[in-house]
Amino acid sequence: MRGLILVAASVAALALAGPAAAQAPIVIKFSHVVASDTPKGKAADKFKELAEKYTAGKVKVEVYPNSTLYKDKEELEALQLGAVQMLAPSNSKFGPIGVKEFEVFDLPYILPDLTTLRKVTDGPLGARLLKLLDSKGMTGLAYWDNGFKEMSANKKLVAPADYKGVKFRIQSSKVLEAQFRALGSIPQVMAFGEVYQALQTGVVDGQENTWSNIYTQKMHEVQKFATVTNHGYIGYVVVVNKKFWDGLPADIRAELDKAMKEATAFGNSQSAKENEDALELIKKSGKTEIVTLTPEQDAAMRKAVEPVYKDVATRVGQPLIDEFLKETGQASH
């Protein structure tokens, strides 16, 4: 299969070198694993619209949502082989392919709010992290938000002791595993699409997610309680195949950069709004009781997950964590 993909890619390159090159649009296949009607889906569609407009049709963007082209586990390899040109995987996906530094984004309470998050993603630290992807044959273009995570379960989660023995669904991440183990919970890795049924049937007792994910996946209908913790962040990195990107004419690349900047601003403002709206709709449904922590309860939760920082430091190095904490105005852990 890999050989066939590479042969197809080189035949396409030869065809473009012919006299018809001027007429043939450059095709960018953009694959992602969520629905079109999500902040990521909307941002991808906005990028398509703007990229085609700014390049006056010289570029054609084909968006493949909902894993129609590649699933979670296959998409990064497909990008590296040049079978697709663009993806927007979650930060957690880069650790397993060897860019462990991205694990820092999964640390509990490392990003207190969106303003602080922007300082990281729009600043030199964010740019440096994107550069690390070069060695994997991809160029990092932008950071897209999903939002901050909350905890939900069929019991009230107020104190760290409430988490003992609770089975939590997590996405595949060593950091998230360590986070729940620190709380005495039992973490279980599971695909996003399977969570509702697992909660409904009691395969797991709880999960962590953004309000918009909880609402659109109807998780609130099978969870009695949700606690406002904002303990973690779910975000994505838009990546493009490096060889493909470097091979584009400079003027085309400049227009695509402009389209990406605008699509990012659009998608990120959508994300904040959709999380607010989803929380209101969950409250209105009356199916889930929303629990708010006191400052003391919040402090106890933060203290309980502190060991996770030491765990991650062994893999990404303490200096990177310290730089993150300095950038976000928090004291060292």
Side-chain angles (χ1 to χ4, degrees):
M1 185 62 192
R2 183 180 296 222
L4 278 176
I5 291 171
L6 292 174
V7 168
S10 51
V11 169
L14 285 173
L16 275 180
Q23 288 84 24
I26 297 162
V27 175
I28 296 177
K29 287 184 178 172
F30 190 158
S31 169
H32 66 80
V33 300
V34 297
S36 299
D37 193 24
T38 55
K40 189 204 291 198
K42 287 176 183 175
D45 291 343
K46 178 60 82 176
F47 172 71
K48 169 186 167 67
E49 176 201 316
L50 296 174
E52 291 175 357
K53 181 174 132 187
Y54 293 155
T55 62
K58 290 196 189 85
V59 169
K60 183 172 181 282
V61 180
E62 297 173 358
V63 179
Y64 297 91
N66 256 342
S67 311
T68 44
L69 211 52
Y70 293 101
K71 290 190 172 54
D72 252 351
K73 285 190 167 64
E74 312 157 341
E75 59 173 18
L76 280 164
E77 191 188 3
L79 181 92
Q80 289 169 313
L81 289 172
V84 290
Q85 286 70 45
M86 202 173 273
L87 306 170
S90 67
N91 292 323
S92 308
K93 296 285 186 298
F94 297 101
I97 66 157
V99 193
K100 292 193 169 52
E101 289 82 354
F102 278 87
E103 286 188 6
V104 177
F105 282 101
D106 277 342
L107 277 168
Y109 300 107
I110 193 145
L111 293 159
D113 51 49
L114 281 175
T115 313
T116 313
L117 168 70
R118 289 285 164 264
K119 274 176 70 181
V120 173
T121 58
D122 297 352
L125 180 53
R128 213 177 76 233
L129 287 169
L130 291 182
K131 283 303 285 175
L132 297 172
L133 299 169
D134 286 3
S135 66
K136 301 293 171 192
M138 51 186 85
T139 299
L141 296 181
Y143 291 96
W144 286 1
D145 291 347
N146 184 323
F148 288 95
K149 290 185 288 191
E150 322 299 344
M151 298 284 198
S152 80
N154 282 324
K155 63 182 283 197
K156 207 178 250 193
L157 301 171
V158 179
D162 300 331
Y163 288 79
K164 279 221 174 357
V166 179
K167 281 183 289 189
F168 273 91
R169 175 267 169 177
I170 60 164
Q171 57 169 329
S172 181
S173 155
K174 285 196 161 49
V175 185
L176 300 180
E177 208 171 299
Q179 168 188 288
F180 282 108
R181 292 211 186 282
L183 289 165
S185 306
I186 305 154
Q188 254 177 277
V189 174
M190 186 179 290
F192 181 61
E194 294 165 18
V195 183
Y196 173 85
Q197 198 179 0
L199 292 168
Q200 190 185 34
T201 53
V203 171
V204 290
D205 309 307
Q207 59 85 50
E208 50 162 23
N209 243 307
T210 57
W211 291 125
S212 72
N213 276 353
I214 291 170
Y215 183 73
T216 54
Q217 297 290 315
K218 297 185 167 50
M219 295 176 198
H220 64 292
E221 295 183 0
V222 287
Q223 294 278 263
K224 292 193 179 77
F225 299 95
T227 305
V228 183
T229 49
N230 292 322
H231 65 281
Y233 163 75
I234 301 182
Y236 313 107
V237 180
V238 183
V239 287
V240 62
N241 176 287
K242 188 175 182 335
K243 205 189 230 166
F244 168 81
W245 190 248
D246 293 348
L248 291 173
D251 58 329
I252 295 271
R253 207 166 44 230
E255 295 298 355
L256 292 177
D257 261 329
K258 182 181 164 192
M260 183 54 71
K261 270 197 182 65
E262 290 178 25
T264 299
F266 168 79
N268 288 349
S269 65
Q270 283 285 122
S271 154
K273 186 183 175 326
E274 285 187 24
N275 280 310
E276 281 169 29
D277 293 350
L279 173 56
E280 286 314 307
L281 290 164
I282 291 168
K283 282 178 182 168
K284 269 203 189 101
S285 78
K287 291 179 192 295
T288 302
E289 185 185 323
I290 308 291
V291 181
T292 308
L293 300 179
T294 64
E296 293 76 23
Q297 289 165 340
D298 181 64
M301 281 297 296
R302 289 167 186 268
K303 193 163 175 44
V305 293
E306 261 180 14
V308 183
Y309 281 72
K310 287 186 184 64
D311 178 82
V312 173
T314 61
R315 287 195 299 281
V316 306
Q318 192 61 43
L320 177 64
I321 294 176
D322 289 341
E323 193 178 344
F324 235 81
L325 291 168
K326 185 172 159 238
E327 199 66 43
T328 60
Q330 300 181 80
S332 183
H333 277 248

